[in-house]
Amino acid sequence: MGLGTYLLAANAQMNSVGVYGAMLLITLIGIGSFAMLLLLEYGAMPWRHRATSPWRRAPHL
């Protein structure tokens, strides 16, 4: 049984602890996946990460 199926079953049974637990796990998996993709991008394309941010540069006059 996957998290989505568990979430639907817990919701149908009015199991609020199960629903919140499943939502917390889904959220943590999403944040963890995003963080891993950021690290993968940083390792695969280091030239995209500059020493200075473009927002901190002096404006062109």
Side-chain angles (χ1 to χ4, degrees), residues 15-30:
N15 181 3
S16 61
V17 174
V19 171
Y20 286 125
M23 287 301 298
L24 180 65
L25 281 175
I26 290 171
T27 302
L28 291 176
I29 289 171

Side-chain angles (χ1 to χ4, degrees), residues 5-61:
T5 306
Y6 177 77
L7 179 66
L8 291 175
N11 190 27
Q13 296 173 359
M14 302 265 189
N15 181 3
S16 61
V17 174
V19 171
Y20 286 125
M23 287 301 298
L24 180 65
L25 281 175
I26 290 171
T27 302
L28 291 176
I29 289 171
I31 291 171
S33 299
F34 182 75
M36 285 194 316
L37 283 174
L38 281 179
L39 290 174
L40 181 66
E41 177 188 359
Y42 184 74
M45 297 183 291
W47 61 86
R48 288 187 48 114
H49 304 280
R50 299 183 178 169
T52 58
S53 173
W55 294 282
R56 294 182 55 144
R57 291 187 200 143
H60 297 288
L61 298 177

